[in-house]
Amino acid sequence: MSFLFALALFTSAELASKNVAVKAQTNAEPQYQPVQQLFDGMREHNAEKIANAFVKGATLVRAKQTGQLKDTNISMFASSIAKRKKDYMDEQIIDYRIETFGNMANIWTYFVFYFNGNISHCGVNSIHVIQQDSDWKIAHLMDSAYQGNCEDFIEKYQPK
């Protein structure tokens, strides 16, 4: 899988290259830890960290504006991110909420994705996590890119 294909999962269009201040989150909830691990792994270009955030058989999907779904192989995605050492990829969460029932949880996030310090795209993630033994792992991650100005998106969804 080429890097462009992998990046297409998280990129809908190049937007204005203006950095926008995003509030830092303290994501202490244990359900959120695999999500933090995924994004840390992307920033670190660490394929093992990325892959280990997911359970075996997990899915990684882009919901397109047409209603079509685009599946991405997690191992290939992790490997392609790890190979791009010269590029800095940083997904920043501007707000999130978690709903938990027993050993499963749903995490809804609003995000801004930076590529080499510039806003690439923004949107939402719907992430299902499951607790196996004492660890939480991602079972399903679906994202959808916002079709508009990310600065407006940030203003609308960033907590006041």
Side-chain angles (χ1 to χ4, degrees), residues 17 36 48 68 79 86 94 105 127 142:
S17 60
Q36 189 65 51
E48 185 176 346
Q68 295 176 323
S79 177
K86 67 178 180 164
I94 57 177
I127 307 165
M142 180 183 295

Side-chain angles (χ1 to χ4, degrees), residues 11 83 92:
T11 305
K83 291 177 184 174
Q92 291 290 316

Side-chain angles (χ1 to χ4, degrees), residues 70-81:
K70 176 79 172 162
D71 291 321
T72 297
N73 178 286
I74 294 168
S75 294
M76 293 174 72
F77 171 73
S79 177
S80 68
I81 297 295

Side-chain angles (χ1 to χ4, degrees), residues 2-88:
S2 73
F3 172 72
L4 294 178
F5 176 73
L7 190 57
L9 173 66
F10 291 96
T11 305
S12 62
E14 281 296 318
L15 299 172
S17 60
K18 226 171 135 180
N19 279 328
V20 177
V22 177
K23 279 189 180 177
Q25 295 286 332
T26 303
N27 305 308
E29 297 90 344
Q31 300 90 330
Y32 193 85
Q33 294 313 304
V35 177
Q36 189 65 51
Q37 178 180 334
L38 169 63
F39 298 150
D40 289 346
M42 290 170 63
R43 282 187 285 275
E44 298 165 10
H45 303 279
N46 184 327
E48 185 176 346
K49 191 177 239 183
I50 293 168
N52 287 336
F54 294 88
V55 298
K56 182 178 175 152
T59 55
L60 181 58
V61 178
R62 162 64 53 97
K64 296 183 175 187
Q65 297 301 314
T66 61
Q68 295 176 323
L69 300 177
K70 176 79 172 162
D71 291 321
T72 297
N73 178 286
I74 294 168
S75 294
M76 293 174 72
F77 171 73
S79 177
S80 68
I81 297 295
K83 291 177 184 174
R84 300 296 297 191
K85 300 239 185 253
K86 67 178 180 164
D87 294 316
Y88 187 68

Side-chain angles (χ1 to χ4, degrees), residues 10 27 30-39 42 53-55 58-61 91 93 95-100 104-111 123-130 136-144:
F10 291 96
N27 305 308
Q31 300 90 330
Y32 193 85
Q33 294 313 304
V35 177
Q36 189 65 51
Q37 178 180 334
L38 169 63
F39 298 150
M42 290 170 63
F54 294 88
V55 298
T59 55
L60 181 58
V61 178
E91 185 152 343
I93 302 304
D95 196 16
Y96 72 97
R97 64 182 179 266
I98 299 174
E99 293 194 22
T100 303
M104 62 181 253
N106 184 53
I107 304 168
W108 182 270
T109 75
Y110 298 96
F111 72 86
V124 297
N125 294 314
S126 178
I127 307 165
H128 297 104
V129 296
I130 185 88
W136 288 89
K137 299 278 187 175
I138 299 169
H140 177 74
L141 189 156
M142 180 183 295
D143 80 335
S144 185

